[in-house]
Amino acid sequence: MTLPAPFPVLVVISVLAGFVGAMSGMGGGVVLIPVLTLLGTNIKTAIAVSMVSVIATSSASASAYVRDRITNLKVGMFLEMFTIVGALVGATITLAAGQRLLFIAFGVVLLASWVALLVQHRYQPTAAEDPDRFTAWLELDGSYVDEAGGTTIAYRAVRAWAGGPLMFGAGLVAGLLGIGAGALKVLIHDLVMRLPAKVSTTTSNLIIGVTALAGSSVFLHDGLVDPGLAAPVVVGVVIGASIGTRVLVRVTNKSVRRFFQVVLFSLGVEMIVRGVAG
Amino acid sequence: MRDRRLNPETVIGYVLLTGTVAATVLVAGGVAWGWATTGRLGLEYRLQGQNLLQIARQDLADLIHTPTPQSLTTLGFVVLLATPLTRVAASLVYFAAVGNRKYVGFTGFVFTVLLYSVVIR
């Protein structure tokens, strides 16, 4: 398959996508797919290639968080049961869906993520809740060392009965659009299961890799994964994500949030307009 | 000081890190090899097979008999796709080792679905 742009250009685009993805916590796909389609790549091929790159960025960042023992493996394993099934269903829908529908769906999800970012911003954690019997049975409690404060933070997840099925939806969106859907996963962890922000983000990162693998399997089976296009994308996105993660610790939460809100809104509107215009 | 002794988190963390680094190096290595031999950046080819097992089997045969830049890049993709699967397998071993049957069941379900969809189908 012919590349939609010269190899170095694709690497630079992917580095930028990985950078923005890492800064926002949503992965490179939200930038990569709109740009690749603008360059003339079929949206289904762009989704398939993005899904493979999500595995790389998620695995790279999850590795550090897991070793630091912030990620909750039990929460991850329980929720992955739902996200992988969702991703398989979502990717199967992508194969059957028309291109215009995918453009519009992508735009709608970006705008929904933009709204989610606003809601998350206004959300103030309330007092700790007692877990229901099902969540207690799942043993979804844990603790981690907060290096900033030097204290050990203990927590207990709640409402796993709702978190699981909702994560099926997040997995479906990920498989459908070739993105990590990190914003949705983090939102479910935060608002429904009441996990601390750090545990929520890092556990979401772990889940994203396995979810992306499930979605990739559908695209691989259908021959949609173009290795020639995936090569510059994977290398670029991994480099961009590494830079983004390092920059993230030096900038304020507010400036990252503001920057990403603009990116999400612009790309969301642009994708919907392209979908409607055909 | 962080506790870096051997524990499930450390093992799983290194599985993910090693897999990603190895995959990226192999993919970049294949591209660089292609550039060195043809003078062109970028590889144009199709993956031979519809699942990880078929692709890995064909790719290993190619690498042994007629190694090409494409076969090295493909090996990178095989390693990349195998990384999360290996992570789930490592979690399964851990939950089995500590005798947590509930999580052996959950992890076993995830592993079986992934194994079927990625490797067997």
Side-chain angles (χ1 to χ4, degrees), chain A residues 169-182:
Chain A
L172 191 140
V173 169
L176 182 75
L177 303 174
I179 58 175

Side-chain angles (χ1 to χ4, degrees), chain A residues 66-86:
Chain A
V66 173
R67 279 179 288 141
D68 286 343
R69 294 177 161 194
I70 304 173
T71 307
N72 189 315
L73 280 180
K74 284 183 180 171
V75 171
M77 288 317 311
F78 170 68
L79 295 178
E80 277 170 6
M81 291 196 294
F82 298 89
T83 61
I84 58 167
V85 177

Side-chain angles (χ1 to χ4, degrees), chain A residues 1-3 7-8 52-53 55-57 59-60 62-64 66-69 71 73-75 77-78 80-82 84-85 88 136-140 147 206-207 209-210 213-214 216-218 220-223 225-232 234-235 238, chain B residues 2-5 7-14 16-17 20 23-24 27-28 31 41-47 49-52 55 73-74 77 80-85 87-88 91 94-95 100 102-103 105-111 113-114 117-118 121:
Chain A
M1 213 175 281
T2 312
L3 293 177
F7 191 92
V52 173
S53 77
I55 300 175
T57 48
S59 301
S63 70
V66 173
R67 279 179 288 141
D68 286 343
R69 294 177 161 194
T71 307
L73 280 180
K74 284 183 180 171
V75 171
M77 288 317 311
F78 170 68
E80 277 170 6
M81 291 196 294
F82 298 89
I84 58 167
V85 177
L88 289 169
W137 177 75
L138 289 171
E139 309 158 16
L140 302 181
E147 292 199 349
L206 186 78
I207 296 171
V210 165
L213 178 63
S216 297
S217 72
V218 176
L220 202 64
H221 192 261
D222 210 60
V225 178
D226 175 3
L229 179 59
V234 166
V235 173
V238 168
Chain B
R2 280 178 208 146
D3 182 4
R4 292 286 190 188
R5 283 172 301 178
N7 55 54
E9 285 89 355
T10 307
V11 173
I12 289 167
Y14 280 113
L16 292 171
L17 183 66
T20 316
T24 311
V27 169
V31 172
L41 258 178
L43 305 166
E44 288 173 19
Y45 71 106
R46 285 196 158 277
L47 292 172
Q50 291 184 307
N51 63 44
L52 198 61
I55 294 168
T73 302
T74 302
F77 290 122
L80 182 63
L81 294 171
T83 298
L85 194 63
R87 191 273 286 172
V88 175
S91 307
Y94 162 66
F95 287 123
N100 190 330
K102 200 179 332 181
Y103 277 87
F106 295 161
T107 315
F109 173 79
V110 172
F111 187 68
V113 171
L114 286 178
S117 62
V118 182
R121 195 166 69 129

Side-chain angles (χ1 to χ4, degrees), chain A residues 241-278:
Chain A
S242 310
I243 300 168
T245 311
R246 281 175 178 78
V247 172
L248 186 64
V249 294
R250 295 198 185 95
V251 294
T252 62
N253 241 348
K254 206 174 173 184
S255 53
V256 172
R257 197 178 291 276
R258 200 169 291 163
F259 164 73
F260 198 63
Q261 278 174 350
V262 174
V263 174
L264 271 182
F265 185 79
S266 319
L267 288 175
V269 170
E270 192 261 347
M271 288 296 269
I272 290 173
V273 167
R274 280 165 67 191
V276 171

Side-chain angles (χ1 to χ4, degrees), chain B residues 23-61:
Chain B
T24 311
V25 168
L26 286 166
V27 169
V31 172
W33 183 6
W35 188 28
T37 50
T38 65
R40 283 182 55 241
L41 258 178
L43 305 166
E44 288 173 19
Y45 71 106
R46 285 196 158 277
L47 292 172
Q48 301 296 310
Q50 291 184 307
N51 63 44
L52 198 61
L53 190 65
Q54 288 174 2
I55 294 168
R57 205 162 41 194
Q58 180 64 46
D59 189 53
L60 286 175

